[in-house]
Amino acid sequence: MLADGRFPAGSHAHSGGLEAAVAAGRVTDTGTLEAFLRGRIATSGATAAAFAAAACAALGNAPPDPPGTDRLADLDTEFEARTPSPALRATSRRLGRQLLRAARAVQPHRALDALAAALPGGPHQPVALGAAARALGLGPRAAAAAALHDAATGPATAAVRLLGLDPFAVHAALARLTPHMDRLAARAAGSAQAPVDELPSYGAPLLDISAELHATWEVRLFAS
């Protein structure tokens, strides 16, 4: 549910860099889309997965008050440092704010209230995702899997709309990526308890550059 584009968290309005890649001619068919998705989940997707898993683990199973808020704030700061593009930072906070709002409506939880109070401008999306996953009773690996699923399916869905690709072929490509995403989710869960400054920082400079260019467009189908 958390990674479903129909969940009212705003992700359906974002292409995850796919619109800019299509405009630049880097994604033209199912094959180039699959390569784009593989690169995205191995870089920005894997980083988001690690932070979602860590945010989920920060809340644990006990209900202290405030529940893990300090570590969540530290995770938010570290994720900010790993997002060099101002456009992507703004997008992440917008999506995190919307996700947190939706999660609090679906499953009221003290941890989500504490996170909203600690970061009134909105947490980064992976931090909000990890907290929402914990509130819904999920563990770090599931939170990481949801982050990776979101990183792949958002651009894949956008490709169907932008290029008119066969949705059956696109979902077959997603299915081929599943074992890779499973391995990345397991790796993210394994680092969930690590010090925040030791969490992964897999760079994707072309996505950062494309995001800044995309933000200057006067006409675009997707917000990012």
Side-chain angles (χ1 to χ4, degrees), residues 52-123:
C56 184
L59 300 182
N61 296 310
D65 192 9
T69 305
D70 289 345
R71 181 164 167 86
L72 292 181
D74 289 344
L75 288 168
D76 192 81
T77 298
E78 287 291 332
F79 190 81
E80 175 95 0
R82 287 161 171 75
T83 312
S85 163
L88 290 182
R89 288 200 297 269
T91 294
S92 179
R93 288 206 181 276
R94 186 181 309 118
L95 288 172
R97 186 166 57 247
Q98 291 175 259
L99 174 58
L100 185 58
R101 179 185 177 189
R104 292 173 76 190
V106 169
Q107 182 62 60
H109 194 284
R110 285 193 299 172
L112 301 183
D113 295 339
L115 179 58
L119 298 169

Side-chain angles (χ1 to χ4, degrees), residues 145-203:
L148 289 159
H149 181 83
D150 180 68
T153 57
T157 302
V160 174
R161 295 172 62 184
L162 288 165
L163 294 168
L165 299 180
D166 178 0
F168 294 96
V170 169
H171 278 76
L174 287 172
R176 288 191 291 272
L177 292 173
T178 299
H180 185 40
M181 288 192 282
D182 284 345
R183 289 191 294 271
L184 290 174
R187 184 189 304 169
S191 67
Q193 302 284 358
V196 292
D197 59 350
E198 294 181 11
L199 290 173
S201 180
Y202 303 114

